[in-house]
Amino acid sequence: MKSNAKIDVEKMLAETPAAAPPEDLLEKLRAEIPEELPKPAVMVPAPSRGWMKVAAALLLAGAAGLIGYRVTLDSERPDAVELPPATDREPLTKTRVTEGGPAGSVVREEAPVGKEKPAVAKQTREAAAKAPSNETLSPPPSAPAKRVVGERAVEPLAPVTQKVVVTGEAPLVELDRKAASSSVEGGVPGGVVGGIAGGTGPGFTTSARAPIAAPSTGGTREPNDAPYGDVFFKEYGTNPFVDTDDDRLSTFGLDVDTGSYTVARRYLTDGNLPPREAIRVEEFVNAFSYGDRPPARGDFAIRAEAAPTPFMKGDLYRVVRFNVRGRVVDEKDRKPAVLTFVVDVSGSMRMENRLELVKRALGLLLDELKSSDRVGLVVYGSEARRILDPTADREAIRDAIDRLVPEGSTNAEQGLRMGYEMAARFRSRDGINRVVLCSDGVANVGRTGPASILQLIEREARENDIELTTVGFGMGNYNDVLMEQLANKGDGRYAYVDTLEEARRIFVEELTGTLQTIAADAKIQVEFDPSVVARWRLIGYENRDIADERFRDDSVDAGEIGAGHSVTALYEIKLKEDASRRGTAATVRLRYRSKETGKVVELEHDLRLSDVASSWESAPRGLKLATLVAEFAEVLKGNYWAKDGDLAEVLRRARRLSPELASDERSAEMVTLVERAERLKRSVDPKSREEE
Amino acid sequence: MSTMPAAGEVVPVSYREGMPAQEQERAILERIRAGDRAAAETLVERTYATVFASLARLCGGDRDLAADLTQETYRKAWQALPGFDGRARFSTWLYRIAYNAFLNHARRPLRAVPFEGRDGPLSADPGQSAEEALESSEVSLRLGRAVLALPDDLRFSVTARFWAGQSVADIARQEGVSTVAIRKRLRRAFTTLEAALEGVVP
């Protein structure tokens, strides 16, 4: 009977009787207070997520008289500097501005940057050998950039003639032999050929169509052993160790995707080991937050830290963490957004309730949007349909979402086309324009296949500034390659959602927090000092490789970074035995085009030897966590460099670290995942894995 | 809820009656920082009943499990304390740990499944009459199940607000979302819960 009296749930909830604790509980809890009391961090109420971070940052900035956090980087302010928290003792981050042309223009190498610039081009051996003596003499803090620079051996746009020497034994990575569909082209940076691991990216190309046409299904497993049918991943190889004398520069595009981690989690949660191609180590690393703070001023804070790694034998190895943290944009200052959702309602979305998850996720997102934001909706099954033109009417949006039901086959191409048309038609000139594709990534109907979709979104990104976020749902019949590639081309991001909790993280924290892109085509170049660093290895970022010569070529499509985004890159380095304890081990440079001013900005930051922790135990927490996450990913991937890696060891260390992170859901979750993976790996006959 | 010192509790000098709860917490934490064991015990005494009670509700009235998870919560909390940044209140932070401990427990079987409330009545207030207790146990049972069946984000918000007595502002701070979002979640949860309770409540 429906009574007229409204049920007062709130009152009932508030009055739910409280169970009294058992009598002996308090005694037990008292007894468990640790012998040595932990020291809580300093009690500064510091909101640290989402726009609250901004509020705090603004307050601080205001208090310090730095009002106007939106620092305009122009040549009058050549040294706009971000001030990391004083306790971090970080050297200042230098900013340089290049009068940047639009994408496509060739950078003027010399102009404002001048002779302080280190070589863009690959160092010749001689130049590299010449440099050290000068470098060690120059006092690092005052003149960090005054380096003797090798002659430019290669013109900026000359073809890649990278010379990379893979040191050590040739890593025997048991690559998926079926990767025969990949064509290895010239200039392979230590490329992956017939089981010899090394390079990546440009050298290891496959036509855009290939991963779809000839997928390496499941990869490390026999097809009939695969936990999910038709899951498409692509293997990008593993970066090699490089002798600093041969190549002191490491260049790559930033990547803020996290999809790989969530996909792997999905596998593990279901009781399966993920195939190795599903693992992109940098996406694991970037799925975690390491407590890096946004800049007080400027677009980015750069952080560099290092410590001995427990995962490499020999005491000369260090793990290095570089972090780039984007400025946060206050919710109220964020530009209004036009979000066009392109939702896959094909029959496959009925599986595992995927569509329901999408709908719930969209509902969560609506809560967080500003009233000036508009949301449009396109769906596609066999055909694409316009459901709702972008509107700010929340009820209409919610209604439209509620009515979605799975239907027909999958015409992703038409769906995306229609989504882009809508986004272009309702484009907000000063606002944020983003298409959000929610799909299981399967595109099985469409005239021209994925290559033409990729072209379309690349063009739209360039011409109309419409960005793309791809959010993957579901697992059976899932296409990781397409989703990642789409986001890559569309100046966007790729995430994978397996649970509603993840949906909250992606749609609420990530999507709204980072809606406003602050930097386009962000590239990183790390320069190692050959007098200090004997060899180095970039962990992950295999499919983001950029030729060193093209670091200052602003037409290269690289990573987009949203407000508040945090991107981490890890290296393993081996120090020279006789290296001095002072000076600079490496310099990291970040180059990007500011979304606000359109100018190309270059920041740099030194990793000083005095900042290298003396032991693992004394390493910063973020560095420890990142190292463990990377090792976890590398062992899962079966990377050569982690061949002696042992999940039991990762687990032991993660457990020791995890209590410090217990309030962070994701870090706590990692321990569970490592546990699970370790058990699964033990239960799988080790031979059967190797034989494949 | 029970953030004020219980009757008969020894109140350390550094905080006073009437001092805002948050400042009291801070004062206690400061003393723990200085290595004061008594402060650590005070912290446990002040918080454990709430932690237990909220876990007991999450566990559908299973008091043994709730007691285990309470111990688990404090074990984790002690270890995690150096990382507590004071963003949200201590008790909200502690509830997040308790809630995670519960989630971890509920997830232990390989797959994440929707939570179903367990059978068995929630323990009722001993001060109630038998009749009242009977009626309220029926309703609490139904309500408890409905709460457990909520989507995770709604469930966390509702349980933190009503079963752990945290303020909306603190929940928002802990979760890193706006208070508006938390309020919206609560309202959505109410709608779902109302639907679930229709017919049970007179």
Side-chain angles (χ1 to χ4, degrees):
Chain A
M1 183 191 83
K2 290 192 181 175
S3 61
N4 295 334
K6 198 163 152 32
I7 304 168
D8 193 346
V9 178
E10 192 168 344
K11 183 159 171 284
M12 287 169 57
L13 281 168
E15 288 173 357
T16 318
E23 274 168 23
D24 57 344
L25 183 59
L26 182 56
E27 233 10 81
K28 282 188 196 156
L29 293 174
R30 275 206 190 106
E32 280 182 21
I33 295 174
E35 211 45 42
E36 193 165 323
L37 287 179
K39 304 219 179 304
V42 185
M43 297 287 122
V44 185
S48 73
R49 270 201 266 176
W51 41 88
M52 290 181 201
K53 258 175 282 187
V54 190
L58 281 176
L59 280 176
L60 287 172
L66 307 172
I67 299 157
Y69 70 101
R70 199 174 279 180
V71 178
T72 311
L73 295 170
D74 55 32
S75 37
E76 285 166 24
R77 307 211 26 190
D79 55 352
V81 159
E82 90 87 356
L83 296 169
T87 50
D88 287 346
R89 295 178 295 113
E90 285 181 22
L92 299 183
T93 301
K94 289 252 190 311
T95 303
R96 291 201 196 91
V97 181
T98 308
E99 286 299 330
S105 73
V106 178
V107 189
R108 289 183 290 139
E109 290 289 346
E110 281 79 25
V113 182
K115 59 180 187 298
E116 280 197 349
K117 285 275 173 184
V120 183
K122 182 68 56 189
Q123 304 287 317
T124 62
R125 228 176 219 286
E126 297 89 307
K130 210 161 50 184
S133 56
N134 292 320
E135 272 176 18
T136 40
L137 288 175
S138 62
S142 56
K146 201 177 276 176
R147 300 235 159 108
V148 170
V149 151
E151 280 172 51
R152 277 171 47 195
V154 188
E155 290 305 309
L157 291 174
V160 184
T161 51
Q162 240 180 0
K163 176 182 60 173
V164 173
V165 177
V166 182
T167 57
E169 324 86 302
L172 294 172
V173 168
E174 319 87 7
L175 267 180
D176 179 14
R177 245 96 305 155
K178 286 165 239 159
S181 62
S182 312
S183 61
V184 178
E185 295 173 356
V188 182
V192 185
V193 192
I196 300 183
T200 101
F204 192 67
T205 43
T206 318
S207 77
R209 201 187 272 268
I212 317 301
S216 51
T217 308
T220 58
R221 292 153 178 273
E222 292 304 313
N224 53 6
D225 184 32
Y228 315 104
D230 297 334
V231 190
F232 303 143
F233 298 109
K234 180 175 169 187
E235 171 65 55
Y236 290 97
T238 302
N239 281 332
F241 255 108
V242 176
D243 266 357
T244 315
D245 281 342
D246 291 312
D247 182 2
R248 54 156 71 179
L249 295 174
S250 166
T251 312
F252 58 96
L254 280 179
D255 180 1
V256 292
D257 298 345
T258 57
S260 171
Y261 170 78
T262 342
V263 168
R265 179 175 74 189
R266 169 63 195 272
Y267 269 88
L268 290 168
T269 310
D270 284 357
N272 300 301
L273 279 174
R276 72 164 47 93
E277 314 87 291
I279 314 287
R280 285 182 293 274
V281 180
E282 74 279 8
E283 295 190 16
F284 268 62
V285 171
N286 282 321
F288 291 77
S289 120
Y290 303 105
D292 296 286
R293 298 188 198 183
R297 286 199 287 154
D299 283 335
F300 289 102
I302 303 180
R303 190 182 166 90
E305 54 194 24
T309 166
F311 298 114
M312 286 294 276
K313 293 194 189 93
D315 50 10
L316 288 172
Y317 284 96
R318 300 286 182 274
V319 58
V320 182
R321 188 177 79 96
F322 293 111
N323 180 271
V324 170
R325 178 77 207 266
R327 74 177 155 91
V328 209
V329 174
D330 190 358
E331 182 64 5
K332 69 177 189 308
D333 291 338
R334 169 170 66 70
K335 295 175 185 169
V338 179
L339 298 177
T340 306
F341 285 89
V342 177
V343 179
D344 182 348
V345 295
S346 65
S348 60
M349 292 297 283
R350 186 176 294 137
M351 288 165 67
E352 310 164 303
N353 263 340
R354 290 171 193 174
L355 186 58
E356 286 310 306
L357 191 53
V358 174
K359 288 160 71 171
R360 295 253 285 271
L362 293 180
L364 290 180
L365 177 73
L366 282 187
D367 287 350
E368 295 289 341
L369 291 179
K370 296 200 299 186
S371 52
S372 52
D373 295 332
R374 286 179 296 156
V375 172
L377 192 59
V378 167
V379 300
Y380 64 92
S382 310
E383 290 197 326
R385 272 188 297 133
R386 241 178 43 225
I387 299 291
L388 187 70
D389 282 340
T391 170
D393 179 350
R394 292 293 178 274
E395 284 313 303
I397 302 168
R398 223 177 265 280
D399 272 2
I401 293 171
D402 281 347
R403 281 200 303 270
L404 300 180
V405 284
E407 58 175 54
S409 61
T410 319
N411 197 340
E413 187 193 343
Q414 211 186 34
L416 269 177
R417 272 185 205 287
M418 191 174 282
Y420 269 101
E421 270 163 32
M422 182 185 279
R425 192 148 51 89
F426 291 88
R427 183 165 174 274
S428 144
R429 197 171 309 145
D430 308 315
I432 298 160
N433 297 282
R434 185 173 287 272
V435 171
V436 184
L437 173 69
C438 302
S439 166
D440 49 16
V442 186
N444 55 10
V445 181
R447 256 176 318 128
T448 38
S452 77
I453 301 186
L454 290 174
Q455 276 170 9
L456 165 79
I457 60 181
E458 201 169 5
R459 194 183 63 232
E460 287 291 337
R462 205 174 44 233
E463 290 171 8
N464 274 335
D465 209 15
I466 296 172
E467 298 167 310
L468 176 72
T469 294
T470 59
V471 188
F473 291 83
M475 184 46 82
N477 217 15
Y478 181 70
N479 193 329
D480 176 75
V481 185
L482 180 62
M483 296 298 272
E484 206 256 354
Q485 286 296 309
L486 286 173
N488 201 351
K489 293 279 184 229
D491 283 358
R493 323 185 233 291
Y494 162 52
Y496 174 79
V497 167
D498 55 349
T499 60
L500 194 67
E501 284 149 73
E502 190 60 24
R504 181 176 60 84
R505 191 159 11 232
I506 297 300
F507 282 80
V508 175
E509 288 168 27
E510 301 282 315
L511 196 56
T512 56
T514 60
L515 206 48
Q516 185 159 335
T517 301
I518 53 173
D521 294 333
K523 288 170 282 196
I524 285 276
Q525 184 164 71
V526 177
E527 179 178 15
F528 293 98
D529 182 338
S531 68
V532 177
V533 178
R535 42 202 302 238
W536 55 267
R537 172 173 83 94
L538 170 61
I539 302 178
Y541 290 97
E542 272 86 5
N543 67 351
R544 301 285 167 152
D545 193 54
I546 293 176
D548 294 342
E549 298 82 0
R550 305 195 69 187
F551 179 59
R552 297 207 170 86
D553 173 355
D554 296 317
S555 68
V556 173
D557 182 31
E560 273 60 42
I561 306 183
H565 255 141
S566 174
V567 191
T568 286
L570 291 177
Y571 284 86
E572 258 173 16
I573 59 171
K574 187 183 184 190
L575 297 177
K576 286 226 158 125
E577 263 174 73
D578 51 355
S580 80
R581 304 278 299 148
R582 301 209 321 220
T584 303
T587 302
V588 57
R589 301 190 180 84
L590 168 68
R591 189 180 177 89
Y592 62 95
R593 197 172 61 249
S594 160
K595 271 289 200 181
E596 200 144 359
T597 62
K599 285 188 174 151
V600 173
V601 181
E602 195 172 306
L603 304 169
E604 76 172 41
H605 184 92
D606 288 339
L607 170 69
R608 289 188 302 194
L609 284 164
S610 54
D611 294 336
V612 178
S614 57
S615 69
W616 170 257
E617 284 68 31
S618 63
R621 202 162 43 178
L623 177 61
K624 285 194 214 167
L625 177 61
T627 308
L628 292 177
V629 171
E631 180 72 7
F632 176 38
E634 294 216 282
V635 174
L636 273 183
K637 196 172 173 61
N639 273 358
Y640 171 76
W641 302 111
K643 68 180 188 309
D644 300 326
D646 176 6
L647 284 182
E649 169 74 6
V650 178
L651 181 58
R652 204 169 53 77
R653 291 184 184 274
R655 279 207 183 113
R656 206 179 303 158
L657 184 65
S658 88
E660 296 182 42
L661 304 155
S663 68
D664 174 13
E665 218 180 310
R666 178 152 276 186
S667 309
E669 168 192 281
M670 186 184 87
V671 180
T672 319
L673 287 186
V674 180
E675 235 165 34
R676 196 158 286 171
E678 201 263 336
R679 227 180 12 243
L680 284 167
K681 229 176 150 81
R682 254 190 296 128
S683 69
V684 175
D685 177 10
K687 264 191 183 162
S688 70
R689 238 176 118 70
E690 277 161 27
E691 276 163 12
E692 275 167 309
Chain B
M1 270 172 4
S2 63
T3 44
M4 297 301 289
E9 189 181 320
V10 184
V11 180
V13 273
S14 58
Y15 64 78
R16 321 173 294 273
E17 206 57 46
M19 197 178 191
Q22 185 153 12
E23 277 177 43
Q24 295 182 3
E25 269 176 9
R26 215 163 274 187
I28 295 176
L29 287 167
E30 281 304 323
R31 285 177 44 190
I32 293 178
R33 231 168 108 73
D36 182 347
R37 279 196 82 74
E41 294 196 2
T42 308
L43 190 70
V44 173
E45 286 156 19
R46 281 167 56 98
T47 50
Y48 88 108
T50 310
V51 171
F52 174 82
S54 43
L55 279 167
R57 287 151 170 168
L58 286 170
C59 298
D62 185 338
R63 299 177 75 233
D64 291 339
L65 179 58
D68 283 352
L69 289 178
T70 307
Q71 282 183 271
E72 174 79 16
T73 302
Y74 280 91
R75 256 195 301 273
K76 285 199 174 139
W78 286 123
Q79 290 165 326
L81 199 56
F84 174 60
D85 57 4
R87 177 178 75 206
R89 275 190 48 181
F90 176 79
S91 54
T92 321
W93 176 81
L94 187 62
Y95 179 67
R96 181 78 235 190
I97 295 181
Y99 185 82
N100 283 355
F102 162 74
L103 278 188
N104 261 338
H105 168 82
R107 274 192 198 130
R108 211 147 285 165
L110 271 183
R111 214 183 169 130
V113 286
F115 300 92
E116 298 291 340
R118 291 169 186 230
D119 288 329
L122 292 164
S123 28
D125 186 335
Q128 283 178 318
S129 77
E131 205 171 306
E132 278 169 344
L134 197 69
E135 187 181 292
S136 89
S137 86
E138 165 68 19
V139 176
S140 328
L141 183 64
R142 189 67 93 89
L143 182 63
R145 277 194 199 157
V147 168
L148 289 174
L150 288 172
D152 187 69
D153 57 320
L154 302 189
R155 185 173 56 219
F156 179 78
S157 308
V158 165
T159 57
R161 176 76 193 88
F162 295 102
W163 290 357
Q166 301 305 320
S167 73
V168 169
D170 282 314
I171 299 169
R173 271 197 285 274
Q174 173 64 36
E175 294 300 283
V177 300
S178 61
T179 50
V180 178
I182 297 290
R183 280 185 213 290
K184 282 184 186 169
R185 280 173 206 178
L186 291 177
R187 264 205 305 282
R188 281 223 301 286
F190 293 158
T191 316
T192 313
L193 295 175
E194 274 160 22
L197 288 181
E198 242 164 46
V200 186
V201 179

